[in-house]
Amino acid sequence: MTLKPPPLRNDCFALPACVNWTPVDQALALLKTRITPVTGVETVPLAQALGRVLAQDVLAQRSNPPLPNTAVDGYGFAGAVAEGEHILPLVAGRAAAGLAYDGSVPAGQAIRILTGAALPAGVETVILEEDVTLGAGEIAFRGPLKRGANTRKAGEDVEAGEVILSQGRVVTPADLALAAATGVSTLEVHLRLRVGVLSTGDELREAGEEAAPGQIYDANRPMLLTLLAQMGFEAIDLGRVHDNRAALQDRLDAAAAEVDVILTSGGASAGDEDHVSALLRDSGALQEWRIALKPGRPLALALWQGVPVFGLPGNPVAALVCTLIFARPAMGGMAGARWQEPLGYQLPAGFAKHKKPGRREFLRARLRDGQVEVFKSEGSGRISGLSWAEGLVELGDGALEIRPGDPVRYIPFESFHL
Ligand code: AMP
Ligand code: MG
């Protein structure tokens, strides 16, 4: 049985009244409190769990290591040894990983033991084989050695019953190692969030088609569909629609039955041909987000038949920045993940810039020789700059006078799974 959480509330995207341009942090804080998981839950084997979002805390089923064992190849015996030379007789047989030694080792005697082997009864301490001279049926070595030397205690890494991974975590390869080691073979994960991508605009053509001089190729869909897949969502191609309200309405109706979230691009402003915002406004659920952000024009947010719609700007640069900064954490939250802040680094600027106050700015950037370079133009139609860039520089809301060498916050695209 799969359990599905309730849909988002109708007012989930409402901004506080009387704010003209909402600061980025305020808009994000709001999303953070309003967004809740919308996807159901399923149980998958470890091999299928990479990149999935944990729907429950995971408990260790057994301790790691399960028994006290040896960390090295050598010889095991009881107790500590004092300073000076020692000779110990060897018992017959040996203890190896996975092969329990079923006898017990009498005090004052030693046993050959190999890395990972559980300590036989009577063994507390292991001496490295490199520190031993092997004779006929006995070993000679030098003390001192503490009791327990070169051994691992049962549960010293993880105790059975401990929480090893918590709800909302996106599963990594190392998490799978931890789960397997502690006796966990399946994980409860959220179903992948299904994200539909729709381009709007009469001018758009598909890559590979003929394009008249007044037409342009749809650049947003190939970018957004692949970006979403890299972020671990199930990206669903909703195609393109013309700037035609009835066509748009039909497409949204069909999509709402099939996906968990819809990303549209284009037509989100208040112009004559901005049918996305007009249609969403007439449906009654539109929230126009005027965010103090460059690049980015109004971001249209709405619920269409209960399905959240992110109306992204048409401009590919703004569409990408709005997706990374707003849609990504929101979609993560809908997918059941913990709120994800992109990891940024303070690094010296390789540029100078005078920034006006009143809005957050993201510049296309990359790291060269320890310095952050920015693209030669801030023009938001410059798709070549997106491809040139390997990350973004985030400049705070206030005025800034940046000189070469000043620290700036650089966020590599990897931080967004791009
Ligand atoms: P709009 O938001 O519809 O006014 O579009 C803003 C700008 O982005 C216009 O120059 C559009 O032609 C362009 N644009 C819109 N959608 C796309 C797209 N899918 N690919 C490339 N450019 C686009
Ligand atoms: Mg348009």
Side-chain angles (χ1 to χ4, degrees):
M1 194 190 80
T2 60
L3 209 56
K4 196 174 154 72
L8 295 181
R9 288 166 49 104
N10 227 8
D11 59 355
C12 67
F13 294 134
L15 285 179
C18 306
V19 179
N20 264 339
W21 288 89
T22 307
V24 170
D25 287 341
Q26 194 179 333
L28 285 174
L30 202 102
L31 275 181
K32 190 173 174 175
T33 58
R34 306 250 178 93
I35 291 292
T36 52
V38 299
T39 54
V41 171
E42 64 176 338
T43 304
V44 296
L46 296 186
Q48 284 163 33
L50 183 67
R52 305 294 296 273
V53 179
L54 292 175
Q56 273 182 6
D57 287 353
V58 181
L59 305 183
Q61 297 302 303
R62 70 195 310 235
S63 298
N64 183 51
L67 290 173
N69 66 26
T70 173
V72 299
D73 288 342
Y75 298 86
F77 44 82
V81 284
E83 183 142 8
E85 293 178 11
H86 301 270
I87 293 181
L88 292 183
L90 284 175
V91 299
R94 55 172 209 165
L99 283 175
Y101 178 78
D102 46 15
S104 110
V105 179
Q109 298 189 27
I111 184 171
R112 174 70 169 144
I113 189 166
L114 299 172
T115 305
L119 300 184
V123 172
E124 298 166 305
T125 308
V126 175
I127 182 150
L128 270 169
E129 67 182 15
E130 290 85 341
D131 294 340
V132 163
T133 307
L134 180 61
E138 57 184 17
I139 52 170
F141 58 95
R142 243 169 231 290
L145 208 60
K146 287 193 190 121
R147 178 146 79 132
N150 298 315
T151 67
R152 309 172 179 131
K153 295 186 195 64
E156 71 172 23
D157 181 25
V158 178
E159 297 272 13
E162 250 181 69
V163 173
I164 49 166
L165 300 167
S166 54
Q167 179 183 353
R169 182 176 173 88
V170 179
V171 176
T172 68
D175 294 345
L176 297 175
L178 179 57
T182 53
V184 174
S185 60
T186 60
L187 295 171
E188 295 272 289
V189 297
H190 281 278
L191 299 178
R192 278 187 202 283
L193 191 76
R194 289 161 303 162
V195 187
V197 176
L198 179 66
S199 291
T200 72
D202 287 341
E203 73 278 33
L204 298 182
R205 302 293 285 160
E206 198 76 6
E209 288 178 354
E210 289 288 326
Q215 295 180 317
I216 61 168
Y217 288 109
D218 181 355
N220 289 339
R221 241 164 73 246
M223 171 173 70
L224 295 173
L225 285 168
T226 49
L227 172 61
L228 292 164
Q230 273 186 203
M231 290 175 171
F233 303 119
E234 191 181 326
I236 293 158
D237 190 354
L238 302 177
R240 285 180 291 117
V241 282
H242 281 276
D243 290 316
N244 172 300
R245 195 186 283 216
L248 183 58
Q249 181 159 359
D250 285 350
R251 198 67 66 95
L252 290 179
D253 283 346
E258 203 194 323
V259 302
D260 300 311
V261 196
I262 300 169
L263 301 187
T264 67
S265 67
S269 310
D272 291 348
E273 293 301 329
D274 289 324
H275 294 282
V276 174
S277 47
L279 180 64
L280 295 175
R281 185 177 304 112
D282 289 355
S283 80
L286 177 74
Q287 302 290 336
E288 258 175 303
W289 277 32
R290 279 162 305 176
I291 298 162
L293 169 70
K294 182 188 170 190
R297 286 183 318 180
L299 181 61
L301 292 157
L303 290 184
W304 186 267
Q305 293 168 12
V307 173
V309 179
F310 282 78
L312 301 166
N315 199 303
V317 178
L320 182 68
V321 169
C322 286
T323 302
L324 297 181
I325 304 303
F326 293 105
R328 172 184 176 267
M331 291 185 296
M334 286 181 243
R338 251 172 271 154
W339 193 256
Q340 293 168 310
E341 313 253 347
L343 193 58
Y345 305 90
Q346 292 291 330
L347 291 167
F351 61 94
K353 180 174 164 70
H354 170 76
K355 179 189 167 294
K356 296 199 200 93
R359 67 183 177 194
R360 183 86 40 107
E361 286 190 27
F362 289 93
L363 309 178
R364 281 151 280 176
R366 64 187 193 184
L367 193 58
R368 288 290 181 276
D369 301 324
Q371 290 203 319
V372 180
E373 308 180 332
V374 292
F375 190 57
K376 60 181 187 243
S377 160
E378 290 182 20
S380 57
R382 301 260 194 138
I383 303 176
S384 67
L386 276 186
S387 170
W388 172 93
E390 293 163 9
L392 298 173
V393 159
E394 178 175 11
L395 303 177
D397 299 349
L400 275 174
E401 198 60 59
I402 297 164
R403 288 169 303 260
D406 288 350
V408 289
R409 178 173 157 83
Y410 175 68
I411 309 174
F413 281 148
E414 288 78 17
S415 289
F416 301 104
H417 294 260
L418 196 97

